Amino acid sequence: MDVMDAFTRFTNQTQGRERLFRATQYTCMLLRYLLEPKAGKEKVVMKLKKLESSVSTGRKWFRLGNVVHAVQATQQSIHATDLVPRLCLTLANLNRVIYFICDTILWVRSVGLASGINKEKWRMWAARHYYYSLLLSLVRDLYEISLQMEQVAHDKAKGEKSSSQDPLGYSVADEETEWLQSFLFLLFQSLKKHPPLLLDTVKNFCDILNPLDQLGIYKSNPGIIGLGGLVSSIAGVITVAYPQMKLKTH
Amino acid sequence: MDAWVRFSAQSQARERLCRAAQYACSLLGHALQKHGASPELQKQIRQLEGHLSLGRKLLRLGNSADALESAKRAVHLSDVVLRFCITVSHLNRALYFACDNVLWAGKSGLAPHVDQEKWAQRSFRYYLFSLIMNLSRDAYEIRLLMEQESSACSRRLKGSGGGVPGGIETGGSGGTGTPGGGLPQLALKLRLRVLLLARVLRGHPPLLLDVVRNACDLFIPLDKLGLWRCGPGIVGLCGLVSSILSILTLIYPWLRLKP
């Protein structure tokens, strides 16, 4: 079966497997949130909680050694050509390095190798640096979106100039809604032309909900965090399965 | 650093590292126990080993599909013996992984009424069968190579016009001197066969690696099933050696034995 072959090739990559487990973990979180208020579902909720916690613990094994990945990504991002992406990505990757260091220390604590570690403090640090790295990635995404929008507007203006010379093409009814409409149109067009950018923006936006909740900046409920985590994991799975969907730095 | 990134990108690589760490912990725990270390340290090592074991079970979820895929590929091999050995070995591995998944479900609390002992025994039995198939395949390959080598040797002797009379003849075709020569003749024959075996293995590192790996791995299910209790020290050492060898095959793909 071709499906099984594709599945095998996909799960042979660590990232592929890890994203699947992450999707499972956040699905459990979402399902728990949806099923908890319902009566008579306590056993299912308990099983979901156990699955979520064992998958979450197991995923730590996937993250060990990712410090090196993040350092390498930092080195690569220093060579980006544009100033804003270079700055944002380098700082984002530096924050990821610190996040992975905190994560490794938390892992050392959780397997019982060093009991003197203050779990809460390190967890806050990890969440904070993860939040910074996601924020910087979002800034970079917004910059790239604005560039794309400029490009689309430029192309549209060129197209309009060459096609019709009618200056009264549209009515002057409400300037604000006109501006909003054209902005949304540009946004939609630029994201449609650039799926990797859309995927990356969605992923970062969904991911940031978790540290926002952990740091208390924007407290949401486990349902929203679960849904956001699930969507971002699916986006991650797509980038692993189809490498051309990964946002490249030029 | 680039090498680590490429290495750890394969999920099998991370699982092998965890396996090496787990058996290193087992070996360390046994050594600490023998030399009377503090119970606190021993408890920490045992706890780490338990975490590693459970983590590995999660990392292995989905390996059943991988083993079935390999079995499907092996069905198309030309050599009958290889086809049989490799396919059966992969099928047994798939069953081993399936039992392992059941054990994980039990340990993580998803299916609390799973009989851990029964399923553990089952999984080790399938693992033992798969290792026996692997070793049979290795023995068959060694035999083929030894026949090839000995016929190549005798051809070289014939080509060089006789050379040293019977000095380098290596069993196989063409007997040595008088038939039924007694014990010294047998010892000589045996010694020549062992030399031929050493030569074959030295010339084929992937085969040697595979034989040593399977032989080391064999001690683990033998101990766990109670067939040959070697003790945690030997099990830890063998597990560690076989994990290191399989990590080597992942780092240097040319060391992997191809059918």
Side-chain angles (χ1 to χ4, degrees), chain B residues 147-157:
Chain B
E147 275 177 23
Q148 257 180 22
E149 191 72 28
S150 72
S151 68
C153 264
S154 54
R155 254 184 290 134
R156 247 177 295 166
L157 281 178

Side-chain angles (χ1 to χ4, degrees), chain B:
Chain B
M1 195 158 46
D2 190 43
W4 161 254
V5 170
R6 266 182 291 121
F7 175 71
S8 64
Q10 303 176 62
S11 62
Q12 232 206 346
R14 279 196 196 223
E15 198 261 322
R16 292 283 122 176
L17 278 176
C18 286
R19 186 176 194 251
Q22 182 186 335
Y23 283 111
C25 282
S26 168
L27 186 62
L28 192 65
H30 175 75
L32 287 176
Q33 201 182 29
K34 264 177 70 173
H35 295 283
S38 71
E40 184 64 40
L41 184 62
Q42 281 187 46
K43 192 172 126 216
Q44 269 186 334
I45 299 280
R46 259 203 306 275
Q47 216 180 13
L48 180 62
E49 193 189 332
H51 279 284
L52 278 164
S53 165
L54 194 59
R56 266 182 70 214
K57 288 207 198 309
L58 183 83
L59 288 175
R60 285 199 297 228
L61 282 181
N63 273 11
S64 279
D66 193 25
L68 280 176
E69 189 64 32
S70 310
K72 207 173 61 129
R73 272 202 303 264
V75 167
H76 301 297
L77 287 172
S78 44
D79 192 313
V80 177
V81 178
L82 281 184
R83 196 190 316 169
F84 175 72
C85 286
I86 300 179
T87 312
V88 174
S89 158
H90 281 305
L91 284 174
N92 275 302
R93 261 181 68 224
L95 287 167
Y96 161 66
F97 285 129
C99 294
D100 198 56
N101 293 345
V102 173
L103 279 173
W104 173 81
K107 279 217 172 100
S108 63
L110 280 177
H113 30 260
V114 161
D115 188 351
Q116 294 274 329
E117 260 315 301
K118 189 173 80 162
W119 283 95
Q121 294 285 309
R122 231 176 244 179
S123 75
F124 281 121
R125 243 185 306 207
Y126 289 127
Y127 187 43
L128 181 66
F129 291 153
S130 128
L131 284 174
I132 291 175
M133 282 287 115
N134 284 344
L135 281 171
S136 319
R137 177 261 183 114
D138 288 336
Y140 176 71
E141 296 248 14
I142 289 176
R143 197 175 135 222
L144 277 184
L145 286 170
M146 274 170 75
E147 275 177 23
Q148 257 180 22
E149 191 72 28
S150 72
S151 68
C153 264
S154 54
R155 254 184 290 134
R156 247 177 295 166
L157 281 178
K158 280 201 198 101
S160 67
V164 184
I168 331 175
E169 244 179 24
T170 49
S173 51
T176 47
T178 51
L183 214 54
Q185 284 280 17
L186 204 65
L188 181 67
K189 248 180 129 169
L190 199 66
R191 194 165 145 250
L192 287 173
R193 281 209 97 93
V194 168
L195 282 176
L196 179 64
L197 176 70
R199 192 195 166 109
V200 159
L201 286 176
R202 228 196 1 239
H204 292 88
L207 186 56
L208 174 64
L209 217 71
D210 202 55
V211 170
V212 175
R213 202 161 60 101
N214 288 324
C216 286
D217 271 338
L218 199 63
F219 287 100
I220 302 168
L222 284 178
D223 181 87
K224 293 272 163 46
L225 288 171
L227 294 168
W228 183 8
R229 294 219 173 269
C230 3
I234 305 261
V235 167
L237 182 65
C238 288
L240 182 62
V241 168
S242 84
S243 304
I244 291 176
L245 289 177
S246 63
I247 289 174
L248 279 176
T249 54
L250 285 170
I251 298 178
Y252 304 110
W254 56 270
L255 277 177
R256 208 177 307 167
L257 186 62
K258 312 247 185 324

